[in-house]
Amino acid sequence: MSGEGPAKRAAEKSRELTEGDDLLRGTAERKLGGFYAIAFGGSLWAWDVAFNLGAHRTIFYYRRQELFVLSLVVLLSALLLPRRVHTHPWVLLLFLPPITLQLLRLAVPLRGAVAQDVERVLIVASIAVVPFIAGIVLRLLAPGYFTLPGRRLKVALAAIVATVALIGFLFGHFNDRFLTCEDFIVAGDYPAQNCVHGTKR
């Protein structure tokens, strides 16, 4: 009987602690639908890109190739599933620059002056269509973002991902305060220029 008092009080305190707290009760996701799924996925991707940009001053080749892969998936889906994917031909043309750029590099490994000029044009065109491709891919990968109720949730989600990206860039830029050169090597990465050796940070 004496044990019931403390156990009951602990249970009541636990209920009081979680009462009205969506995160502790695990009800936040139900209330916000796909908000957290999109926020987590977008933030993890943004952190990776921003950290490497801060640490190595570049976007790694595999991230640049993602534009080619995403463009190829959209283009092939529209061509192979014309009855299910209805789109304007000019929309598909906007996906061609990154695809053409990679195919040119594959077909012409030894680049002459003309090939280099064509490559420069395709690089500029590929960069120019990035916002458009990103918008289409975002609608396909995260349709829940566009059905979030109200503008405030959309702005909050974009702000969260942008903030995570900024912090990721700062962590990458000041990696010597958090990581050592050995940390980069163990992870299979090239050590950043400003990394520190040894265990002291």
Side-chain angles (χ1 to χ4, degrees):
M1 294 289 264
S2 61
E4 290 180 11
K8 188 175 180 181
R9 285 196 297 272
E12 287 176 359
K13 283 185 180 179
S14 177
R15 264 194 305 275
E16 289 172 9
L17 183 66
T18 59
E19 189 65 35
D21 190 306
D22 288 324
L23 295 178
L24 291 177
R25 286 180 12 201
T27 57
E29 194 279 332
R30 282 197 303 255
K31 288 185 176 183
L32 292 174
F35 179 88
Y36 281 108
I38 299 167
F40 288 141
S43 295
L44 287 170
W45 184 87
W47 176 278
D48 182 60
V49 172
F51 178 87
N52 287 319
L53 186 60
H56 301 287
R57 309 297 184 267
T58 188
I59 297 175
F60 287 163
Y61 73 92
Y62 56 84
R63 288 297 182 198
R64 296 194 301 267
Q65 289 179 347
E66 285 176 356
L67 180 63
F68 166 72
V69 173
L70 295 173
S71 300
L72 195 57
V73 168
V74 173
L75 186 65
L76 290 176
S77 68
L79 294 175
L80 297 175
L81 304 169
R83 292 183 181 177
R84 291 181 166 234
V85 181
H86 302 104
T87 188
H88 301 292
W90 64 265
V91 172
L92 297 180
L93 287 175
L94 293 172
F95 285 89
L96 286 179
I99 295 171
T100 308
L101 176 62
Q102 296 300 326
L103 293 178
L104 173 71
R105 290 175 172 171
L106 178 65
V108 190
L110 298 174
R111 299 177 187 93
V114 175
Q116 286 181 349
D117 290 339
V118 173
E119 183 174 342
R120 286 189 197 100
V121 170
L122 287 172
I123 288 172
V124 171
S126 297
I127 294 170
V129 298
V130 164
F132 177 81
I133 293 174
I136 296 289
V137 170
L138 182 61
R139 285 185 180 276
L140 294 172
L141 290 180
Y145 175 80
F146 298 93
T147 58
L148 289 174
R151 182 180 294 176
R152 185 173 182 181
L153 281 178
K154 294 183 181 76
V155 172
L157 199 151
I160 288 169
V161 174
T163 302
V164 168
L166 176 61
I167 295 171
F169 177 83
L170 293 174
F171 268 64
H173 185 72
F174 298 106
N175 65 83
D176 54 326
R177 302 185 186 187
F178 306 98
L179 303 168
T180 64
C181 298
E182 287 72 20
D183 290 324
F184 282 97
I185 294 168
V186 167
D189 287 340
Y190 189 80
Q193 287 185 349
N194 63 327
C195 70
V196 293
H197 291 277
T199 56
K200 294 182 180 179
R201 288 191 273 278

